[in-house]
Amino acid sequence: LEGSVLDPTNAPLPGASLRACHVDTGVEQQVQSDRNGFYRFSALPAGRYELHAALTGFSPHRRTEVNISAGSTETIHLSL
């Protein structure tokens, strides 16, 4: 699972906190966006996830029903 975190003008947001929560197991992984607003969760087990993104000064974002298949890469760009 990877993508970028952007502000309303499509500028990258470095330092955003992202959390992927496996819906069925409750297991979570956390990462932060880099200086270009890019984020990547490595080796997530297949399944359904909720993706949460937050950064001080911006409204948080939540994306539900993110489906990860084995051996695939899902790209999701988020706007805060």
Side-chain angles (χ1 to χ4, degrees), residues 5-6 8 13 53-62 79-80:
V5 183
L6 308 169
L13 289 174
L55 182 64
T56 301
F58 293 88
S59 295
H61 183 93
R62 185 179 90 158
S79 181
L80 299 185

Side-chain angles (χ1 to χ4, degrees), residues 1 20-22 27-29 41-47 49 68-72:
L1 177 58
C21 180
H22 193 283
V27 174
E28 295 182 357
Q29 289 189 33
F41 290 93
S42 298
L44 288 175
Y49 286 84
I68 304 296
S69 301
S72 69

Side-chain angles (χ1 to χ4, degrees), residues 21-71:
C21 180
H22 193 283
V23 173
D24 298 322
T25 65
V27 174
E28 295 182 357
Q29 289 189 33
Q30 296 183 7
V31 298
Q32 281 195 325
S33 60
D34 67 13
R35 63 185 175 94
N36 297 313
F38 181 78
Y39 71 90
R40 175 179 287 147
F41 290 93
S42 298
L44 288 175
R48 295 180 306 133
Y49 286 84
E50 282 192 4
L51 180 60
H52 302 263
L55 182 64
T56 301
F58 293 88
S59 295
H61 183 93
R62 185 179 90 158
R63 174 78 61 95
T64 60
E65 294 301 320
V66 175
N67 294 304
I68 304 296
S69 301

